[in-house]
């Protein structure tokens, strides 16, 4: 009996050790760019990386989610954007340090694998699937709304609800959402350089459209529309902040390009911080213009994801401003779909290289230097999701997964500083360890502000992820084939 107890105890410790095994930072970096059958190409400059993050971020909340956030906070939605931005900033500083230290495609998944162990890394990667894939689907739904808005102003008609809305929102299938996903997939399959150039054009167009919106909306600005400024108090600001955090999920897109950046240790931290600063300034400016031009109570009556077009339509009484905005949004939101889908494929690429997901996701086309099968599979999954799931559920589910991943990145900074203080760091999080600790606290605070249904969905998603890990990932992990304490395990 004692002998069995000893054996059981040793087995338990061995099992726990496999869940906590970490992958050495040097090995993660050395494997960067390598896939099955080919390699990724380092072609992205600092400007392209920054605009990749801006492209993934700018537009997601302003073009799509503003109409849902204003009824929660009133004119104080501007402060909700600031609250979400501060939360994102603390996470961004942690991202910047880890991106400069571990410049690979896996983003926070790879950072967690190097610091918190395989099980936590898997859960983080699983949450990133929720963050990236679901956010692309949500934005694709909003893209269809602006396309309908443009058709209404340009030709006086819209697409039938049956093919332009998902079930639960008056339709059967959202065809426009599928179309924009297919367009983005085709661009990604052409190559990273081609995708980056297309994104650069779309980002500049997006900024121009939003500045046009501000110029027109401020002509209809009425100070009375800002009273009462916070009708729901801090609770409303906080609730709206949890929702508009969806607007900031793209700033980490640069970290997924770590294996295709020309100078990743220098450029990744800069791109992350610069992109967050740009989108925050635009969000606050556009939010203020919107609530100043149209009373906040009218947002809840709109029933449309195309909230900015509605502001221009009702504030000016003319059709042409909203038509221009809608046309710009149709093109600009496509950049969010493009860049976030790119990030999703690169995270799966990194997980596949570690053996945690099937090897098909790491196959690289030698000619195009892109993971072709990976891109096609991701596009198919996202297209189906966008076609049949309503926007609101997608937004909240994305936010909670993102906040969880961001919190893990902040924890990862603390762990890596303690376990590998000698590693070269091109950027160091200021006011350490206060900054990452505040980042964790703010992420948890916004997670608490999300509804119970969102938490249930998140819990079920996590449970499914754990089942997938224990049934597949743990047994196929490349580290599983190595002895404890061997080359596959980081010294602690």
């Amino acid at each position: 009996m004692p002998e069995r107890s000893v054996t059981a105890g040793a087995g338990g410790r061995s099992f726990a050790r496999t869940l906590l095994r970490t992958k050495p930072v040097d090995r993660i970096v050395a494997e960067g760019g390598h896939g099955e059958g080919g390699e990724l190409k380092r072609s992205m400059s600092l400007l392209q990386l920054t605009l990749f993050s801006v492209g993934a971020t700018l537009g997601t909340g302003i073009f799509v989610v503003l109409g849902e956030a204003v009824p929660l906070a009133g004119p104080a939605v501007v402060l909700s954007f600031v609250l979400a931005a501060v939360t994102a900033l603390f996470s961004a500083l942690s991202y910047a340090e880890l991106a400069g230290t571990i410049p690979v495609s896996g983003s926070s998944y790879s950072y967690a694998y190097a610091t918190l162990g395989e099980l936590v890394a898997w859960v983080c990667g699983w949450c990133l699937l929720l963050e990236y894939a679901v956010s692309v689907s949500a934005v694709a739904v909003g893209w269809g709304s602006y396309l309908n808005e443009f058709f209404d102003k340009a030709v006086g008609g819209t697409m039938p609800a049956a093919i332009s809305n998902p079930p639960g929102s008056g339709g059967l299938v959202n065809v426009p959402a599928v179309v924009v996903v297919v367009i983005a997939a085709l661009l990604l399959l052409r190559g990273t350089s081609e995708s980056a150039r297309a994104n650069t054009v779309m980002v500049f167009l997006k900024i121009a459209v939003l500045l046009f919106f501000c110029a027109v909306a401020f002509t209809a600005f009425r100070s009375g529309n800002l009273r009462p400024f916070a009708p729901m108090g801090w609770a409303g600001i906080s609730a709206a902040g949890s929702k508009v955090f969806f607007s900031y999920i793209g700033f980490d897109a640069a970290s997924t390009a770590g294996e295709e950046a020309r100078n990743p240790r220098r450029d990744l931290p800069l791109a992350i911080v610069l992109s967050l600063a740009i989108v925050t300034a635009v969000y606050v400016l556009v939010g203020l213009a919107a609530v100043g031009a149209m009373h906040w109570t009218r947002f809840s009556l709109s029933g449309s994801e195309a909230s900015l077009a509605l502001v221009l339509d009702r504030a000016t009484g003319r059709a042409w401003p909203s038509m221009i905005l809608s046309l710009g949004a149709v093109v600009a939101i496509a950049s969010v779909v493009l860049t976030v889908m790119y990030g999703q494929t690169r995270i799966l690429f990194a997980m596949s290289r570690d053996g945690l997901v099937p090897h098909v996701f790491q196959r690289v086309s030698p000619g195009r230097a892109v993971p072709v099968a990976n891109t096609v599979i991701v596009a198919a999954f996202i297209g189906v999701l966008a076609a049949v799931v309503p926007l609101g559920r997608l937004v909240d589910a994305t936010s909670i997964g993102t906040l969880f991943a961001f919190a893990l990145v902040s924890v990862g900074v603390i762990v890596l500083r303690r376990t590998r203080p000698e590693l070269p760091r091109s950027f160091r999080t200021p006011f350490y360890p206060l900054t990452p600790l505040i980042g964790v606290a703010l992420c948890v605070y916004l997670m608490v502000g999300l509804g119970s249904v969102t938490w249930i969905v998140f819990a079920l998603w996590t449970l499914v992820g754990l089942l997938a890990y224990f049934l597949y990932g743990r047994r196929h992990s490349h580290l599983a084939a190595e002895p404890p304490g061997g080359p596959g395990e980081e010294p602690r």
Side-chain angles (χ1 to χ4, degrees):
M1 188 70 173
E3 191 173 314
R4 285 185 182 178
S5 299
V6 171
T7 303
R13 288 192 295 272
S14 177
F15 176 75
R17 189 182 183 91
T18 64
L19 301 183
L20 298 175
R21 57 193 173 203
T22 57
K23 187 174 180 180
V25 173
D26 298 338
R27 178 170 167 180
I28 293 176
V29 175
E31 291 178 354
H34 301 289
E36 182 180 307
E39 296 185 3
L40 302 179
K41 183 180 178 181
R42 292 197 178 276
S43 60
M44 298 182 69
S45 65
L46 173 59
L47 175 63
Q48 289 175 322
L49 287 169
T50 302
L51 294 183
F52 230 71
S53 283
V54 174
T57 312
L58 188 57
T60 314
I62 284 294
F63 282 114
V64 178
V65 183
L66 183 66
E68 295 189 3
V70 171
L72 296 174
V77 72
V78 175
L79 297 183
S80 299
F81 276 111
V82 173
L83 173 62
V86 170
T87 303
L89 174 62
F90 282 100
S91 297
L93 293 173
S94 294
Y95 259 101
E97 175 167 332
L98 292 182
T101 309
I102 314 173
V104 293
S105 292
S107 185
S108 50
Y109 155 76
S110 294
Y111 308 154
Y113 211 165
T115 57
L116 302 175
E118 185 172 282
L119 178 62
V120 176
W122 169 268
V123 173
C124 184
W126 192 251
C127 287
L128 289 174
L129 296 183
L130 187 67
E131 171 190 346
Y132 281 83
V134 177
S135 68
V136 172
S137 304
V139 176
V141 172
W143 186 83
S145 296
Y146 274 99
L147 186 62
N148 251 343
E149 194 75 20
F150 172 72
F151 285 153
D152 184 43
K153 297 298 184 298
V155 299
T158 61
M159 293 176 289
I163 63 169
S164 60
N165 291 317
S169 296
L172 297 176
V173 60
N174 194 327
V175 174
V178 177
V179 170
V180 72
V181 170
V182 171
I183 293 172
L186 292 175
L187 275 172
L188 290 173
L189 290 173
R190 286 179 60 84
T192 301
S193 297
E194 292 80 357
S195 300
R197 284 195 290 269
N199 175 69
T200 298
V201 173
M202 288 189 283
V203 167
F204 281 120
L205 174 61
K206 184 187 307 188
I207 293 175
V209 166
L210 290 173
L211 291 178
F212 166 78
F213 168 83
C214 292
V216 176
F218 275 122
T219 64
F221 189 91
R222 300 289 182 273
S223 59
N225 287 339
L226 302 182
R227 296 192 293 268
F229 183 69
M232 310 299 179
W234 179 253
I237 296 172
S238 177
S242 298
K243 187 168 288 290
V244 302
F245 189 81
F246 178 82
S247 313
Y248 291 92
I249 66 169
F251 78 81
D252 59 328
S255 66
T256 67
E259 296 172 28
E260 291 161 284
R262 293 176 189 167
N263 189 350
R265 293 191 184 276
R266 184 200 68 181
D267 293 346
L268 290 179
L270 284 173
I272 290 170
V273 175
L274 285 174
S275 63
L276 182 61
I278 292 170
V279 298
T280 299
V282 174
Y283 280 159
V284 172
L285 183 64
V286 173
L288 180 62
V291 294
M294 188 172 79
H295 197 269
W296 69 274
T297 55
R298 300 178 70 180
F299 282 83
S300 61
L301 303 175
S302 66
S304 170
E305 282 90 19
S307 53
L308 294 192
L310 181 69
V311 169
L312 293 186
D313 193 25
R314 295 190 175 182
T316 65
R318 300 183 180 92
W320 67 267
S322 59
M323 183 176 71
I324 292 175
L325 179 81
S326 298
L327 178 60
V330 165
V331 178
I333 291 180
S335 71
V336 180
V337 178
L338 173 70
T339 51
V340 178
M341 190 185 298
Y342 166 88
Q344 174 70 91
T345 61
R346 292 335 187 243
I347 290 169
L348 281 169
F349 177 83
M351 295 179 74
S352 177
R353 192 168 54 203
D354 293 331
L356 299 183
V357 298
H359 69 277
V360 66
F361 290 101
Q362 64 165 316
R363 291 178 184 165
V364 176
S365 168
R368 300 179 184 179
V370 296
V372 173
N374 183 340
T375 303
V376 172
I377 294 170
V378 168
F381 175 76
I382 290 172
V384 170
L385 202 62
V388 299
V389 182
L391 174 66
R393 291 284 178 256
L394 292 175
V395 170
D396 289 346
T398 302
S399 294
I400 194 168
T402 304
L403 287 163
F404 181 77
F406 284 6
L408 290 182
V409 170
S410 295
V411 173
V413 167
I414 297 173
V415 173
L416 198 61
R417 285 278 190 106
R418 292 176 62 88
T419 59
R420 296 298 302 276
E422 81 286 356
L423 285 175
R425 290 168 169 82
S426 58
F427 177 88
R428 286 180 173 268
T429 302
F431 306 110
Y432 172 87
L434 186 61
T435 297
L437 289 174
I438 292 176
V440 173
L442 288 174
C443 287
V444 172
Y445 176 74
L446 289 185
M447 288 176 72
V448 171
L450 294 169
S452 57
V453 174
T454 303
W455 275 95
I456 293 172
V457 170
F458 179 65
L460 291 174
W461 177 262
T462 303
L463 178 61
V464 172
L466 290 174
L467 289 174
Y469 172 72
F470 285 109
L471 292 176
Y472 182 91
R474 179 173 174 270
R475 290 193 285 178
H476 291 82
S477 167
H478 291 169
L479 294 189
E482 299 172 359
E489 189 170 336
E490 186 81 76
R492 289 194 178 248

